[in-house]
């Protein structure tokens, strides 16, 4: 299929972050890792011109394509697929639980709203009963390459990669970095490369904690001021200095370390111990 010839007939809208995927190999990879069967309900976020959509409808029981751009809605409406329902709506205003359980999500999302969309799909670390997450079994994302590295990063990764987005994603999902996708795979070609990432949603959070909202505050504190050590970072977000010092000492954590050098599990231990020392 000549996706390039089809894509160049349309003018991508920069304000919506539109870049149409025209690489047949990348599309095949998305379909392969999604592992869609005739029993599956699929929610596609940002179908664009429908290059992935037209393959999804051949594989799935039902496809819900959620698209904000009216021009794109008109284009994919031309697909002759009785199992396709197009929803002209902002994904951030869409309740995915209405579509059923064990939904598989496929998304080529604009770079500038990656974090809000992930938070919408998975919920924050203290959102234990998020309706969207409870309805989703997996998410296959096309994201900016740098974002893909952040999703799968840990405390041993370069400091700029491991952060709040890493913890949000890994708290509620197992992350698989599938493959890098070069910028030439899109039309128009963006300035940066992309990557395909698969998130398999967990039924339970990564950590068993007594207070998840407190943990969220601790995590934000650890990353709030990356140039400061962990003691000062936690104090700066409102935790009592003496409690912070006592907690770090009890856990044998050097107070001069930076927050991003702690693993998610260590942050969990820090949260539980600090809560008891306040």
């Amino acid at each position: 299929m000549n996706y390039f010839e089809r894509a160049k007939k349309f003018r991508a809208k920069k304000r919506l972050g539109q870049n149409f995927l025209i690489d047949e190999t990348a599309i095949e990879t998305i379909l392969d890792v999604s592992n869609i069967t005739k029993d599956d309900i699929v929610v596609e976020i940002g179908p664009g011109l429908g290059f992935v959509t037209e393959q999804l409808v051949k594989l799935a029981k039902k496809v819900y394509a959620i698209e904000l751009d009216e021009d794109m809605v008109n284009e994919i409406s031309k697909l002759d697929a009785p199992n396709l329902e197009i929803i002209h709506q902002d994904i951030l205003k869409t309740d995915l639980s209405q579509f059923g359980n064990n939904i598989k999500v496929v998304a080529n999302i604009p770079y500038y709203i990656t974090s809000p969309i992930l938070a919408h799909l998975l919920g924050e670390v203290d959102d234990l009963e998020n309706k969207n997450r409870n309805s989703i079994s997996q998410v296959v994302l096309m994201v900016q390459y740098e974002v893909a590295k952040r999703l799968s990063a840990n405390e041993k990764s370069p400091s700029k990669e491991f952060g709040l987005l890493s913890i949000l994603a890994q708290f509620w999902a197992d992350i698989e970095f599938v493959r890098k996708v070069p910028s030439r795979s899109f039309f128009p070609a963006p300035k940066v490369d992309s990557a395909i990432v698969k998130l398999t949603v967990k039924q339970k959070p990564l950590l068993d904690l007594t207070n998840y909202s407190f943990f969220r505050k601790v995590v934000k504190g650890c990353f709030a001021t990356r140039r400061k050590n962990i003691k000062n970072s936690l104090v700066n977000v409102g935790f009592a200095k003496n409690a912070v010092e006592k907690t770090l000492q009890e856990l044998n954590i050097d107070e001069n370390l930076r927050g991003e050098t702690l693993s998610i599990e260590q942050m969990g231990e820090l949260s539980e111990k600090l809560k008891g020392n306040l």
Side-chain angles (χ1 to χ4, degrees):
M1 295 184 183
N2 195 330
Y3 292 118
F4 172 72
E5 291 298 325
R6 293 169 63 186
K8 72 179 185 179
K9 297 176 183 178
F10 296 86
R11 178 175 294 179
K13 297 174 182 175
K14 289 186 178 180
R15 63 181 177 83
L16 295 178
Q18 289 178 344
N19 301 94
F20 306 125
L21 180 61
I22 57 172
D23 184 336
E24 187 171 355
T25 302
I27 291 174
E28 289 174 353
T29 299
I30 290 171
L31 298 171
D32 287 343
V33 299
S34 296
N35 193 28
I36 295 165
T37 72
K38 285 296 183 182
D39 295 324
D40 286 328
I41 296 173
V42 176
V43 172
E44 186 184 11
I45 301 171
L49 295 173
F51 296 163
V52 176
T53 317
E54 62 192 21
Q55 303 305 319
L56 291 174
V57 294
K58 298 175 184 177
L59 302 171
K61 177 181 179 180
K62 180 79 174 184
V63 177
Y64 295 95
I66 302 174
E67 175 59 62
L68 183 61
D69 183 5
E70 186 173 359
D71 290 339
M72 298 299 102
V73 169
N74 292 335
E75 183 60 24
I76 58 175
S77 294
K78 298 175 184 177
L79 280 176
D80 182 16
N83 61 336
L84 172 64
E85 183 173 335
I86 303 164
I87 299 172
H88 184 196
Q89 189 167 294
D90 184 343
I91 181 59
L92 297 179
K93 298 178 181 178
T94 304
D95 176 5
L96 272 65
S97 67
Q98 66 182 296
F99 304 129
N101 297 315
N102 295 315
I103 296 165
K104 292 183 176 180
V105 176
V106 175
N108 178 11
I109 57 182
Y111 299 154
Y112 70 97
I113 55 169
T114 298
S115 294
I117 288 179
L118 278 173
H120 183 64
L121 296 178
L122 298 178
E124 296 289 352
V125 295
D126 57 348
D127 189 358
L128 301 183
E129 297 298 332
N130 184 274
K131 290 196 299 181
N132 289 334
R133 184 185 66 247
N134 288 341
S135 301
I136 298 169
S137 62
Q138 71 176 40
V139 183
V140 175
L141 292 174
M142 176 76 77
V143 294
Q144 185 177 336
Y145 177 58
E146 294 301 322
V147 171
K149 290 195 293 183
R150 287 167 59 197
L151 290 174
S152 55
N154 58 37
E155 73 281 5
K156 297 177 182 178
S157 304
S159 62
K160 290 183 179 180
E161 293 179 6
F162 185 50
L164 294 174
L165 187 61
S166 315
I167 293 177
L168 166 63
Q170 293 169 36
F171 207 73
W172 291 114
D174 294 319
I175 313 297
E176 177 188 351
F177 183 100
V178 178
R179 57 161 286 200
K180 189 175 182 179
V181 180
S183 60
R184 65 177 180 274
S185 298
F186 298 85
F187 180 83
K191 295 180 179 179
V192 295
D193 292 330
S194 298
I196 300 168
V197 182
K198 182 176 181 178
L199 290 73
T200 303
V201 177
K202 300 176 186 290
Q203 293 186 346
K204 295 181 179 180
L206 178 63
L207 303 178
D208 182 13
L209 304 171
T210 58
N211 190 317
Y212 290 87
S213 295
F214 190 86
F215 172 71
R216 182 180 177 184
K217 184 178 179 182
V218 169
V219 169
K220 284 190 173 182
C222 287
F223 293 109
T225 48
R226 286 179 178 264
R227 292 185 179 181
K228 294 186 177 181
N229 62 40
I230 189 169
K231 184 188 80 172
N232 290 336
S233 293
L234 291 171
V235 171
N236 282 351
V237 296
F239 293 113
K241 182 179 179 181
N242 61 336
V244 171
E245 290 176 339
K246 180 182 179 182
T247 300
L248 294 174
Q249 186 175 24
E250 289 175 346
L251 293 175
N252 197 29
I253 297 174
D254 185 347
E255 65 180 35
N256 290 312
L257 289 175
R258 293 180 178 178
E260 63 266 26
T261 63
L262 300 184
S263 68
I264 300 178
E265 290 76 13
Q266 285 177 306
M267 290 183 190
E269 293 175 358
L270 175 62
S271 174
E272 294 291 274
K273 183 71 72 173
L274 180 57
K275 182 176 177 290
N277 286 334
L278 288 174

